[in-house]
Amino acid sequence: MVNENQTSSSSSAFSFISKGLQGVRDSADADLQLMRDRASSFKNLATSFDRELENFFNSASTSFSVPAIRSTPPPTEIEFVKRLQPKFSEFRRAYSSPNFSKKVLEKWSPRTKIRIDLSAIRNAIVSEVEDGDGTIDFDRVRRRNMIKFREFWGEWKGEGEGEEAQSARDWEPVRALKTRLKEFERRSSSVEIFGGFKKSEFVEKVKSSLKAMCKEPEESKEVPPLDVPELLASLVRQSGPLLGVRRDICDKIVESLCSKRKSKLLLHSESAGESSVLGNDNINDELDLRIASVLQSTGHCYEGGFWKDQTKHDPSDGKRHVAIVTTASLPWMTGTAVNPLFRAAYLAQSAKQYVTLVVPWLCKSDQELVYPNNLIFSSPEEQEIYIRSWLEERIGFKADFKISFYPGKFSKERRSIIPTGDTSQFISSKDADIAILEEPEHLNWYHHGRRWTDKFNHVVGIVHTNYLEYIKREKNGALQAFFVKHINNWVTRAYCHKVLRLSAATQDLPKSVVCNVHGVNPKFLKIGERVAAERELGQQAFSKGAYFLGKMVWAKGYRELIDLLAKNKSDLYGFNLDVFGNGEDAHEVQSTAKRLDLNLNFQKGRDHADDSLHGYKVFINPSVSDVLCTATAEALAMGKFVVCADHPSNEFFRSFPNCLTYKTSEDFVAKVREALASEPQPLSPEDRYNLSWEAATQRFIEYSEIDRFLNNNEDGAKGSRNDGKIIKKSASLPSLTEMVDGGLAFGHYCLTGNEFLRLCTGAIPKTRDYDKQHCKDLNLLPPQVENPIYGW
């Protein structure tokens, strides 16, 4: 039984092996048949190519023939076409032979083994290694081949060795090509080909192209590095302001350090017979050009700061982008809500730049605390419609600018809106060109994000509020004001290129100038024109006496007003004053005035352009905490008298004839009586223009130094010409001052990232990032998704 099983299994295995061998044999036969078919098709293709080649040679005599010219022989074929025909005939005979397919099949048969002779490659490598120290120098091989190639073309030009010696060293194809080209050149002296182009010209073109191929690259003129005196001169010039050294002393030191090098270069240029380029007497400009040329030769470009944004705006379409970021928004009638809105409208009016106004968005709970008349907006789009309609009603034209929102929270203690999260992220990188920060210190107290000066090409801060004056009125105000003063210096220096102070009433900040860049709502100027027209017709323009208008908080001048009226109650007997305003201190202010028995008539707050206020002749504003009171400018625009304190905040208004300033309480009484007893003068056209937003916008463009940017001078850098090339001096020079500013920004970023330190300095809890309600209202990604933190 076992033997039978073994026999059956053996027969089954033999049958299986037989079937496998049969399958392999059939597969091999099929592959051989496929090879034969492919060889036959290749032979047919070669025959077809043969016919096409014959047609080509038959047509060559006409295609490459030379047109006849007077006194020239009949057309002839180009010589190299004739010489190619025998070679192709031999090739035709080779592949047309009957044994061609047989030889191909023999080469493709499985018995054939492919052998590659690598001896030539080995010998070449060995020869190169033996020449050196065991390392193959491919650059040397390339140079050797290039020398051989230049020798070949040098012989064609008649240079180098004799013709026979050179010809013996040439490779046969190269020697044949040189012979054909020489023969072709000799026969082409006066023969015209292809549309009036001579053979000789054609040959010259070929020769010039080949010369260009083997021509060595020109040696680059390297710029020598800075020497020790130049480095010292640059260091002295940059560190002088930080060390408190006067500028004239720094200039003398720089001149003495650079004079030796200048004399050395002059001596070198005279000995070499060159004209000196150092004839300029301005040592600083020469040093700038020298440093810029060295940096340009190395390809270095310094942008400044610790963080760099490689996607800074590039004005390829010829228009700049201006982003105006402010700390308040309508319907909150405060200066930082109204004035940036007008600035955006009038900057966009010129159509020379794109403008985006970035305002805070408050959640519903904060809107109830801030916005008057129970105005609540369910979406940013709804608030934008309100803002635009309010603006267009007052300026009389449709302003073409974009409105964007960033998340903010209202601080009851500070009575202001504090940004939450990184405000700069709400301006896209492609629009990050020029930034205008309305109240830069306020925006950056707790700013934890991208540095403004790194993201934007130019950053301008506009200081609206005298925070130190407000803080001094609080408990421990002197100590708080000391810290806030230095923090304001810190953040404005770190985050702004230029700072504009509306008046000298604000603290003196780094990089700042004093200039009023606010204008008056055109509606008030129209009211003033109407009043002047009525007075010319003999009508009574003013039927009421004096009034005061402002948010009812002590810091807005109510303390000064009550003190002046209480002190001069007897001198101002019978004087009544209407007061318009709402605010957190309304009950306390009214109770104090009632207790002192002052003739003050308190009414709800109104828009200054309201019809009920047009009949008042005198506006009284005793505030010394304002930086530049908007209500004072509006009252002057309406043709009224203004009685205000002799204070830096009112410096801009002193030139107007209807502005009456006082220094003492007795002087206050005299000015009030003078205003009530006389009529104000009509505004002159010059005064009317100085109050307008057109004039304010022009002053802003001039003093903020953005005129260079709006005129499309990239980065505002002035170029200097050196050897026919323009070198930007200021864009690529690293400055010690900029490095210090970058260090301040980095330190501020680290401190504001700590929640404990934020709370110690008075920040609203959990405002480093926006919350879930802001995500829902503004359709934002959660902070952990927008700014992920990756761990190990």
Side-chain angles (χ1 to χ4, degrees):
M1 187 67 180
V2 175
N3 293 332
E4 290 179 0
N5 291 337
Q6 292 177 349
T7 304
S8 61
S9 61
S10 300
S11 61
S12 298
F14 181 77
S15 175
F16 177 77
I17 294 173
S18 301
K19 290 181 179 179
L21 291 175
Q22 183 64 31
V24 172
R25 190 182 300 111
D26 295 341
S27 177
D29 293 340
D31 291 340
L32 289 174
Q33 184 62 35
L34 180 61
M35 291 179 183
R36 292 191 185 94
D37 295 341
R38 289 181 176 175
S40 300
S41 63
F42 181 74
K43 182 177 180 180
N44 296 333
L45 182 63
T47 305
S48 176
F49 176 71
D50 187 18
R51 289 195 297 269
E52 294 295 335
L53 194 61
E54 289 179 355
N55 295 335
F56 168 73
F57 285 121
N58 292 334
S59 61
S61 60
T62 58
S63 299
F64 293 95
S65 61
V66 181
I69 308 177
R70 295 173 192 169
S71 68
T72 58
T76 58
E77 288 183 342
I78 294 180
E79 191 67 22
F80 75 89
V81 177
K82 288 183 178 181
R83 296 184 181 278
L84 283 176
Q85 288 180 353
K87 301 295 182 182
F88 280 106
S89 299
E90 294 177 4
F91 180 68
R92 273 202 311 274
R93 285 196 298 271
Y95 71 72
S96 299
S97 64
N99 296 327
F100 179 76
S101 59
K102 182 178 179 180
K103 293 180 179 180
V104 171
L105 289 176
E106 289 177 355
K107 294 291 184 181
W108 286 352
S109 62
R111 295 186 301 272
T112 305
K113 294 183 179 180
I114 300 175
R115 298 177 181 270
I116 302 176
D117 186 6
L118 301 177
S119 60
I121 301 176
R122 183 194 60 195
N123 294 335
I125 295 176
V126 170
S127 64
E128 293 297 334
V129 173
E130 290 176 351
D131 290 342
D133 55 353
T135 303
I136 303 175
D137 189 353
F138 289 100
D139 290 336
R140 185 172 58 189
V141 175
R142 179 182 56 81
R143 289 194 297 269
R144 184 182 302 169
N145 294 335
M146 185 61 72
I147 292 172
K148 292 180 180 179
F149 191 58
R150 284 197 296 271
E151 289 176 354
F152 157 62
W153 292 115
E155 185 273 331
W156 186 19
K157 296 183 293 182
E159 301 172 357
E161 302 178 0
E163 183 175 357
E164 294 181 357
Q166 180 68 28
S167 178
R169 285 169 43 181
D170 285 338
W171 184 37
E172 183 178 356
V174 175
R175 187 166 59 249
L177 178 60
K178 289 165 61 177
T179 305
R180 300 293 182 269
L181 287 173
K182 287 183 179 181
E183 183 181 354
F184 185 70
E185 185 179 7
R186 285 195 298 268
R187 297 180 56 184
S188 62
S189 57
S190 61
V191 180
E192 184 179 3
I193 61 174
F194 310 122
F197 192 73
K198 291 185 178 181
K199 282 185 179 179
S200 58
E201 297 177 3
F202 173 74
V203 174
E204 291 298 327
K205 294 279 186 182
V206 173
K207 289 169 64 176
S208 62
S209 300
L210 293 173
K211 291 175 186 177
M213 290 172 57
C214 63
K215 185 178 180 181
E216 291 185 359
E218 295 182 358
E219 295 183 0
S220 59
K221 298 180 179 179
E222 296 184 358
V223 179
L226 297 175
D227 53 18
V228 175
E230 290 173 331
L231 292 173
L232 290 175
S234 178
L235 180 62
V236 168
R237 191 178 58 176
Q238 294 180 14
S239 60
L242 296 176
L243 299 177
V245 182
R246 291 190 308 177
R247 184 169 182 176
D248 55 346
I249 298 177
C250 288
D251 291 340
K252 290 181 180 179
I253 297 174
V254 171
E255 185 177 0
S256 63
L257 289 172
C258 294
S259 59
K260 294 182 179 180
R261 175 175 174 82
K262 181 176 180 181
S263 60
K264 185 187 297 184
L265 290 178
L266 286 172
L267 181 63
H268 174 73
S269 61
E270 290 174 0
S271 61
E274 300 174 356
S275 60
S276 175
V277 296
L278 298 175
N280 188 3
D281 293 333
N282 194 337
I283 299 296
N284 289 322
D285 286 347
E286 292 177 7
L287 184 60
D288 283 341
L289 285 173
R290 177 84 176 95
I291 299 174
S293 62
V294 173
L295 291 174
Q296 192 177 52
S297 66
T298 61
H300 174 72
C301 183
Y302 177 78
E303 293 293 343
F306 284 89
W307 302 287
K308 294 184 180 179
D309 189 359
Q310 301 299 332
T311 57
K312 280 191 174 183
H313 171 74
D314 183 13
S316 56
D317 58 353
K319 295 182 70 173
R320 313 298 302 220
H321 285 255
V322 179
I324 303 175
V325 188
T326 186
T327 58
S329 176
L330 294 180
W332 192 15
M333 297 298 297
T334 185
T336 53
V338 175
N339 291 308
L341 181 60
F342 282 110
R343 196 183 327 280
Y346 282 89
L347 276 175
Q349 187 182 24
S350 64
K352 292 182 179 179
Q353 57 276 330
Y354 301 108
V355 179
T356 301
L357 177 65
V358 188
V359 297
W361 166 259
L362 299 178
C363 298
K364 184 177 179 180
S365 58
D366 285 336
Q367 292 185 37
E368 294 173 351
L369 298 174
V370 178
Y371 298 154
N373 303 323
N374 297 322
L375 279 173
I376 302 296
F377 304 102
S378 59
S379 66
E381 292 78 12
E382 185 179 346
Q383 186 173 1
E384 181 177 351
I385 293 173
Y386 176 89
I387 294 172
R388 291 189 183 277
S389 61
W390 184 94
L391 177 66
E392 292 175 9
E393 181 183 353
R394 284 155 179 78
I395 62 178
F397 62 88
K398 187 174 182 178
D400 185 16
F401 64 92
K402 178 182 176 183
I403 297 180
S404 179
F405 291 85
Y406 69 87
K409 281 187 175 293
F410 180 70
S411 174
K412 295 181 182 179
E413 293 77 14
R414 298 182 180 233
R415 296 174 182 175
S416 58
I417 299 173
I418 304 298
T420 62
D422 180 11
T423 309
S424 65
Q425 77 179 75
F426 296 92
I427 302 102
S428 62
S429 295
K430 66 182 181 65
D431 296 336
D433 184 14
I434 300 172
I436 302 171
L437 305 183
E438 310 277 351
E439 291 194 321
E441 67 275 54
H442 185 159
L443 285 170
N444 292 305
W445 278 335
Y446 306 107
H447 175 73
H448 181 72
R450 179 67 60 85
R451 186 186 178 194
W452 295 95
T453 51
D454 285 343
K455 183 167 184 176
F456 290 83
N457 292 318
H458 191 59
V459 181
V460 181
I462 302 178
V463 180
H464 290 248
T465 309
N466 189 356
Y467 288 106
L468 300 183
E469 186 66 29
Y470 289 134
I471 292 173
K472 288 177 182 178
R473 301 166 185 259
E474 300 178 359
K475 185 179 180 180
N476 299 323
L479 181 61
Q480 293 186 52
F482 173 80
F483 287 109
V484 171
K485 177 181 179 180
H486 289 83
I487 291 174
N488 290 345
N489 287 333
W490 185 353
V491 296
T492 53
R493 178 171 180 174
Y495 293 114
C496 296
H497 292 117
K498 193 74 176 180
V499 178
L500 301 181
R501 299 157 55 202
L502 297 179
S503 72
T506 61
Q507 71 176 92
D508 189 7
L509 295 169
K511 310 175 186 178
S512 66
V513 294
V514 176
C515 179
N516 174 24
V517 293
H518 285 178
V520 173
N521 186 338
K523 195 171 184 177
F524 294 101
L525 292 172
K526 292 180 181 179
I527 294 173
E529 293 175 0
R530 188 177 70 231
V531 169
E534 291 175 356
R535 292 181 61 185
E536 288 181 0
L537 296 175
Q539 300 178 5
Q540 183 179 2
F542 302 110
S543 58
K544 301 179 183 179
Y547 73 106
F548 175 62
L549 179 142
K551 185 179 180 181
M552 200 167 291
V553 293
W554 286 114
K556 283 294 185 180
Y558 285 90
R559 175 67 65 187
E560 291 82 359
L561 178 64
I562 289 178
D563 290 344
L564 284 171
L565 295 178
K567 186 176 182 179
N568 300 284
K569 184 187 300 185
S570 58
D571 294 332
L572 293 173
Y573 181 78
F575 172 72
N576 295 314
L577 182 67
D578 294 337
V579 179
F580 299 88
N582 301 318
E584 295 82 358
D585 298 334
H587 177 72
E588 190 176 350
V589 170
Q590 294 176 17
S591 61
T592 303
K594 185 176 180 180
R595 178 171 52 83
L596 295 175
D597 192 22
L598 301 179
N599 294 327
L600 296 178
N601 181 24
F602 292 98
Q603 301 186 35
K604 292 184 178 180
R606 302 178 188 178
D607 190 337
H608 206 175
D610 192 270
D611 293 340
S612 61
L613 301 178
H614 294 175
Y616 288 96
K617 184 172 64 172
V618 182
F619 175 72
I620 295 179
N621 183 17
S623 175
V624 293
S625 62
D626 286 323
V627 172
L628 186 81
C629 185
T630 304
T632 300
E634 293 169 348
L636 289 173
M638 289 188 288
K640 305 177 186 294
F641 275 123
V642 172
V643 178
C644 58
D646 186 4
H647 189 262
S649 61
N650 298 316
E651 182 68 28
F652 178 77
F653 305 121
R654 288 179 183 173
S655 60
F656 294 86
N658 294 333
C659 181
L660 306 177
T661 59
Y662 64 90
K663 294 183 179 180
T664 63
S665 60
E666 293 78 10
D667 197 15
F668 169 75
V669 175
K671 297 299 181 182
V672 170
R673 289 178 176 176
E674 179 184 351
L676 293 174
S678 57
E679 292 295 324
Q681 299 181 22
L683 286 177
S684 64
E686 182 181 359
D687 291 338
R688 189 178 296 110
Y689 175 75
N690 289 334
L691 289 171
S692 68
W693 265 105
E694 288 84 358
T697 303
Q698 189 62 37
R699 291 193 297 267
F700 168 75
I701 292 175
E702 178 182 356
Y703 280 84
S704 64
E705 299 179 358
I706 69 169
D707 50 346
R708 294 177 295 175
F709 292 86
L710 297 182
N711 292 329
N712 295 323
N713 292 331
E714 182 65 19
D715 291 340
K718 295 181 180 180
S720 299
R721 188 169 295 276
N722 183 21
D723 295 335
K725 297 181 180 180
I726 294 179
I727 298 176
K728 291 182 178 180
K729 294 192 297 183
S730 61
S732 59
L733 297 181
S735 170
L736 186 59
T737 302
E738 293 177 358
M739 294 177 65
V740 172
D741 294 346
L744 292 174
F746 181 75
H748 183 263
Y749 178 84
C750 295
L751 293 176
T752 54
N754 186 282
E755 183 67 17
F756 176 75
L757 294 176
R758 292 172 65 91
L759 296 178
C760 290
T761 54
I764 302 175
K766 298 181 180 180
T767 54
R768 193 185 73 174
D769 297 310
Y770 45 82
D771 55 20
K772 294 181 179 179
Q773 187 60 43
H774 282 125
C775 294
K776 182 179 179 181
D777 295 345
L778 298 174
N779 297 320
L780 301 174
L781 293 174
Q784 60 271 21
V785 177
E786 186 73 27
N787 301 303
I789 299 176
Y790 298 98
W792 293 101

